[in-house]
Amino acid sequence: GANAALVEVNCETDFVAKDDNFRSFADAVAERVLNSDVADVDALMALPLHEGEDTTIEEARQALVSKIGENMGVRRFVRAKAEGAMAHYSHGVRIGVLVDVTGGEAGLGRDLAMHIAASSPVCISENDVPPELLAKEREITEAQARESGKPDNIIEKMIEGRMRNFYAENVLAEQPYVKDPDKTVKDLLMELVAQTGENVTIRRFVRFVLGEES
């Protein structure tokens, strides 16, 4: 629960994704990420696949490509050290989530990781929304509102309403909690604080989707 690694290893077919040789390779790569300090994929590929062996990850990849007859590659990775406790969730082989949570009941981290997998938030709180994304969304929203031809005061209310919807869709704290959509994730955390008297905070999350733009 203190350290974690998330790695995307690509192949061409679902058949190979289920192959024991491919899965063993992916597991070994993740272990090397976890136990190294390399910063990029090129440096990672030059490491031994297993500690104490000579065969590098790149050499092992090439050998596996020759054996299986299908191209594959290590695309990206992240290494995370928890401030609280690190939880994880994998939705099949296509979505992987890490989430760092301080406080809360046992299982909270995994429940939040499942929520993140399903709801694909951009960030934890409204303050974390990237400024360029917020500016673009507001520009689009304002243009759509002005097409209505309504007075400026009504247009401003329309923009505010649509921006609230944007936050509810993209900000983790504002999203309806998947296990109880009548409350937001923020409501859930506040309830836990009230029940336990301890601080419950989502420190960080990482969500990988197979093949998405990074």
Side-chain angles (χ1 to χ4, degrees):
N3 300 286
L6 188 61
V7 183
E8 179 179 348
V9 184
N10 297 142
C11 59
E12 296 178 342
T13 64
D14 288 340
F15 178 77
V16 169
K18 299 173 183 176
D19 181 86
D20 287 342
N21 294 294
F22 176 79
R23 295 173 70 90
S24 294
F25 172 75
D27 287 344
V29 172
E31 185 174 348
R32 296 304 285 145
V33 171
L34 186 63
N35 295 302
S36 72
D37 59 358
V38 292
D40 56 49
V41 171
D42 288 342
L44 174 66
M45 300 305 287
L47 294 178
L49 180 63
H50 299 287
E51 187 68 37
E53 296 183 357
D54 293 331
T55 302
T56 67
I57 294 175
E58 174 58 20
E59 290 168 344
R61 184 196 70 82
Q62 292 178 11
L64 194 54
V65 169
S66 296
K67 179 177 181 179
I68 294 178
E70 183 172 304
N71 195 26
M72 59 193 67
V74 180
R75 182 166 180 260
R76 56 179 171 161
F77 67 84
V78 64
R79 186 186 306 106
K81 183 175 179 63
E83 294 182 48
M86 191 72 70
H88 65 90
Y89 173 71
S90 296
H91 186 73
V93 297
R94 295 188 175 274
I95 301 176
V97 175
L98 298 176
V99 59
D100 180 6
V101 182
T102 300
E105 57 197 5
L108 174 64
R110 180 171 173 80
D111 286 346
L112 289 171
M114 292 174 67
H115 171 96
I116 292 165
S119 300
S120 60
V122 172
C123 56
I124 295 173
S125 71
E126 291 185 14
N127 293 334
D128 300 325
V129 178
E132 62 276 10
L133 176 61
L134 193 59
K136 181 179 180 181
E137 185 63 27
R138 180 170 284 279
E139 180 183 347
I140 293 171
T141 297
E142 182 173 353
Q144 291 173 340
R146 292 200 179 281
E147 287 177 359
S148 68
K150 296 183 183 298
D152 286 349
N153 62 322
I154 301 299
I155 288 174
E156 188 58 35
K157 290 180 180 179
M158 292 171 64
I159 293 171
E160 289 176 5
R162 291 176 183 177
M163 291 306 296
R164 283 196 298 272
N165 290 337
F166 168 79
Y167 287 127
E169 292 173 1
N170 294 280
V171 175
L172 175 57
E174 306 301 327
Q175 289 179 330
Y177 182 43
V178 291
K179 295 186 72 173
D180 185 355
D182 290 334
K183 66 179 70 170
T184 64
V185 172
K186 181 168 63 178
D187 293 335
L188 169 70
L189 300 185
M190 291 176 65
E191 285 181 6
L192 292 174
V193 170
Q195 291 169 7
T196 64
E198 65 176 349
N199 187 33
V200 182
T201 305
I202 302 171
R203 299 287 185 180
R204 178 191 183 191
F205 73 84
V206 181
R207 181 179 185 270
F208 277 6
V209 178
L210 187 69
E212 71 181 350
E213 292 185 12
S214 55

